[in-house]
Amino acid sequence: MQGSAISRLFVSCLILITVSAGRAQVPVTAATPTTPSIDRRIEVLIRSQFSVPPEYDMTLGEKTKSDTTDYDNLPVTFTHEDKKITVNFLISKDGSTLERVQKFNLNNNPVLSIDVDKRPVRGTPAAKVEIINFDDLQCPYCGVLNSEILPRTLNHYQGYIKIVYKDYPLKMHPWAMRAAVDANCLASLNDSAYWAYVDYVHSHGQDISGAQPDAAKSFVALDHIAQTMGTENKVNQTELAMCLGKQDESVVNQSLKLGTSLGVSGTPQVFVDGERLPSGAPRVSELWPAIDRALKAQGIQPPPQKAPETAPSSK
């Protein structure tokens, strides 16, 4: 277990390396007749700097011309069993410096164009700042965000923000997918019914799971809740019943795919106008400054804040 944990940490570090901005410079001592070969010195340095687990093999690729003056591209591949990841470095032509550079396209940042078309909106639809939450209806910390943190935030930023949920049911939660599908059935018919369902499910998770968890019983309970919320919000019952019976997971799966492409791995995951907050239910002291930054970026003065209370966090 310890070796697996180290391997996971190493791979995570490499992923962080590939997305970190700027240039990390690592000097490589000039070769002398008594020093190891340049390839060996590169390997030793990288293994040391990035804590490469000893079970990972490391292969240096062929150098190619780079866009950086006096430097060549040097791909380095790390392999262990079925795991393989390639990280691109720059090496100076004189063999004295190794660098890690990552370029970003400021005109094509996917977190700034998350598809929320036809999703129910909470808050002010025309608001300038959009909060997107990748949500799991069986996730306790999502429940904290939904019932405590976001209502308080909406109250503070009345007229300034809008909130949209995207589906991200985790496989570890046996009825999360069913809940998401049912929620989408309501969303396609009535926004109020959708939010009523989301609020109820988030606040009654233990009741839905039951004292002795049984997925089939939870499915029945979720469908009944959806029908009840549909009735209370005057949803067309025939259309709702057909949708609930069909259990089409395609919309939810599209949201899952999108979230995964954005690096979402847990819930809740909140984005404030494209700014990704730490995974988990953000504290007010984390969420509100992000909203203020987004407002100020658009020339809007945020409402004055009182001293924020600390909200629960999943960390």
Side-chain angles (χ1 to χ4, degrees):
M1 292 294 291
Q2 184 177 7
S4 298
I6 292 172
S7 296
R8 288 195 298 271
L9 177 60
F10 164 63
V11 172
S12 297
C13 288
L14 286 179
I15 292 171
L16 288 174
I17 293 166
T18 64
V19 299
S20 59
R23 178 178 296 176
Q25 298 189 358
V26 185
V28 179
T29 306
T32 68
T34 58
T35 59
S37 68
I38 182 65
D39 286 1
R40 178 57 180 165
R41 286 185 287 124
I42 291 172
E43 179 174 4
V44 169
L45 184 144
I46 291 177
R47 285 187 180 277
S48 173
Q49 290 290 323
F50 302 116
S51 301
V52 180
E55 65 268 23
Y56 273 79
D57 292 327
M58 194 175 119
T59 306
L60 305 186
E62 293 292 329
K63 290 188 290 186
T64 59
K65 184 179 179 180
S66 77
D67 295 331
T68 304
T69 304
D70 296 329
Y71 282 82
D72 290 323
N73 293 313
L74 178 66
V76 179
T77 300
F78 303 87
T79 308
H80 175 59
E81 296 177 349
D82 61 341
K83 303 181 182 70
K84 179 182 288 188
I85 182 170
T86 298
V87 179
N88 292 313
F89 289 85
L90 290 177
I91 185 166
S92 60
K93 292 185 180 296
D94 64 3
S96 64
T97 304
L98 191 69
E99 301 190 7
R100 171 67 191 136
V101 177
Q102 180 69 26
K103 293 182 179 180
F104 295 92
N105 187 341
L106 294 174
N107 298 317
N108 188 29
N109 187 347
V111 300
L112 296 174
S113 56
I114 298 174
D115 183 12
V116 293
D117 185 41
K118 298 180 181 178
R119 296 299 297 173
V121 174
R122 182 166 261 173
T124 304
K128 297 292 185 180
V129 172
E130 182 174 69
I131 298 172
I132 298 175
N133 172 39
F134 281 82
D135 182 61
D136 176 323
L137 285 162
Q138 197 177 345
C139 161
Y141 293 111
C142 296
V144 172
L145 178 66
N146 183 79
S147 63
E148 299 178 23
I149 300 169
L150 289 183
R152 181 179 171 193
T153 300
L154 278 168
N155 182 62
H156 179 74
Y157 289 96
Q158 289 184 33
Y160 289 91
I161 62 173
K162 55 185 173 182
I163 297 172
V164 181
Y165 280 14
K166 297 288 288 184
D167 303 303
Y168 205 84
L170 301 174
K171 291 182 179 180
M172 63 186 289
H173 293 149
W175 53 259
M177 174 61 82
R178 182 78 171 216
V181 172
D182 285 5
N184 277 284
C185 285
L186 290 167
S188 67
L189 299 170
N190 184 290
D191 286 7
S192 296
Y194 166 83
W195 287 114
Y197 179 84
V198 167
D199 290 345
Y200 188 93
V201 172
H202 267 316
S203 60
H204 291 79
Q206 291 184 344
D207 296 335
I208 295 168
S209 293
Q212 296 181 330
D214 183 324
K217 291 182 178 179
S218 296
F219 293 169
V220 172
L222 289 164
D223 291 353
H224 177 70
I225 295 167
Q227 291 166 342
T228 300
M229 297 307 167
T231 299
E232 292 179 356
N233 289 276
K234 298 180 173 57
V235 167
N236 184 306
Q237 288 297 317
T238 301
E239 292 184 17
L240 177 59
M242 289 178 61
C243 186
L244 294 175
K246 189 176 180 182
Q247 284 298 302
D248 182 357
E249 298 179 358
S250 59
V251 173
V252 179
N253 285 329
Q254 288 175 8
S255 185
L256 279 167
K257 183 178 180 180
L258 171 63
T260 300
S261 72
L262 297 174
V264 176
S265 59
T267 56
Q269 178 59 70
V270 176
F271 294 85
V272 178
D273 258 16
E275 179 182 343
R276 177 178 180 150
L277 300 190
S279 181
R283 299 179 177 88
V284 166
S285 59
E286 295 171 323
L287 177 59
W288 289 15
I291 297 173
D292 287 353
R293 285 192 291 273
L295 288 169
K296 290 176 181 177
Q298 300 191 53
I300 302 172
Q301 183 62 35
Q305 292 188 20
K306 298 179 181 178
E309 300 172 8
T310 301
S313 171
S314 65
K315 301 176 185 64

